[in-house]
Amino acid sequence: DAGVTQSPTHLIKTRGQQVTLRCSPISGHKSVSWYQQVLGQGPQFIFQYYEKEERGRGNFPDRFSARQFPNYSSELNVNALLLGDSALYLCASSLRDTSNYGYTFGSGTRLTVV
Amino acid sequence: AQKITQTQPGMFVQEKEAVTLDCTYDTSDQSYGLFWYKQPSSGEMIFLIYQGSYDEQNATEGRYSLNFQKARKSANLVISASQLGDSAMYFCAMREGRIEYGGSQGNLIFGKGTKLSVKP
């Protein structure tokens, strides 16, 4: 079975531009979460979606938005990019709605803002 | 506020020896979950081991074990018989928020990580 897949793997954008990152969860997983990992830090929670509804939001500005589709895939959008948005963006999916075993992560999208 | 602290930025271990990676946490919740993830240079976060706050026994998964000391709020990862492929970043994480049936699963709060280097 395929794991969590994210696209693109690498991306370079200019300040002020908009970017869309994509995530396909493991088949059957209904929950998707997004994390931002700045170089030298641990991942930081951005959003969680379950059954196409937003279930949690981290401390990020409104420039960050996300959605989940009927097939449970998800997109993360970031508008008006800043240099500080340069990071590894990780997507994670989970099987059960009350999973105590964390999430399966993808390999991430490395975003560089210049 | 919930917090994870990993005080070892980097650790070295000789191949085939055991190593302990430290993790302390801070929470006022009675029910919580603690996780360890491995992140190789490829970027993927690989789940290693989980410990629930009500679990009476320390979790073990193959060469990984979690030394859970609830009163001290510590959840150290022990890797036995280190291998060269164990060289990576290791993150301790805690699940934040209530888990609601059919609803929120809570999110993970991560520490800053420990870079483990295994020497041949």
Side-chain angles (χ1 to χ4, degrees):
Chain A
D1 286 341
V4 177
T5 57
Q6 293 186 243
S7 63
T9 55
H10 294 81
L11 201 53
I12 300 176
K13 288 287 190 178
T14 304
R15 273 183 303 174
Q17 285 188 316
Q18 175 264 343
V19 67
T20 298
L21 311 181
R22 296 176 175 83
C23 171
S24 294
I26 291 175
S27 177
H29 284 200
K30 297 181 179 180
S31 174
V32 170
S33 298
W34 287 95
Y35 288 80
Q36 180 196 64
Q37 186 177 17
V38 174
L39 190 64
Q41 301 291 322
Q44 190 172 358
F45 172 69
I46 311 175
F47 284 110
Q48 181 194 35
Y49 278 79
Y50 177 74
E51 286 280 17
K52 302 179 290 280
E53 291 187 6
E54 182 182 303
R55 295 294 190 177
R57 173 185 286 251
N59 187 24
F60 279 82
D62 292 343
R63 299 185 296 108
F64 288 77
S65 63
R67 55 179 175 169
Q68 187 176 32
F69 298 98
N71 66 353
Y72 303 112
S73 66
S74 177
E75 286 183 352
L76 175 70
N77 295 285
V78 187
N79 294 322
L81 284 167
L82 303 174
L83 295 179
D85 295 330
S86 295
L88 177 68
Y89 289 84
L90 293 163
C91 172
S93 74
S94 180
L95 174 61
R96 296 191 294 263
D97 56 3
T98 55
S99 170
N100 282 325
Y101 291 88
Y103 302 91
T104 302
F105 284 82
S107 295
T109 294
R110 292 189 185 274
L111 172 65
T112 302
V113 182
V114 297
Chain B
Q2 294 174 316
K3 186 179 179 181
I4 294 285
T5 302
Q6 295 180 253
T7 58
Q8 305 155 313
M11 289 281 287
F12 287 91
V13 64
Q14 203 70 36
E15 191 179 9
K16 299 181 184 177
E17 292 186 349
V19 63
T20 298
L21 306 183
D22 295 341
C23 172
T24 58
Y25 61 92
D26 188 17
T27 181
S28 56
D29 290 344
Q30 296 301 309
S31 176
Y32 51 88
L34 296 158
F35 305 81
W36 277 92
Y37 284 88
K38 171 184 178 182
Q39 187 178 42
S41 57
S42 60
E44 182 179 1
M45 299 289 282
I46 301 168
F47 167 74
L48 297 178
I49 197 166
Y50 167 82
Q51 180 84 42
S53 58
Y54 292 118
D55 295 340
E56 295 185 353
Q57 300 218 342
N58 288 341
T60 60
E61 291 285 350
R63 295 187 298 112
Y64 304 107
S65 61
L66 199 151
N67 184 2
F68 182 46
Q69 298 189 38
K70 196 170 181 177
R72 299 178 62 182
K73 292 189 175 179
S74 73
N76 298 338
L77 177 70
V78 180
I79 305 175
S80 63
S82 297
Q83 302 172 355
L84 296 179
D86 293 335
S87 294
M89 285 293 295
Y90 287 80
F91 290 94
C92 180
M94 178 167 58
R95 186 189 63 237
E96 175 184 53
R98 294 175 57 85
I99 289 184
E100 303 164 355
Y101 181 78
S104 171
Q105 301 176 60
N107 55 274
L108 297 176
I109 298 174
F110 287 85
K112 292 187 175 182
T114 296
K115 183 175 182 179
L116 177 66
S117 300
V118 181
K119 298 185 289 185

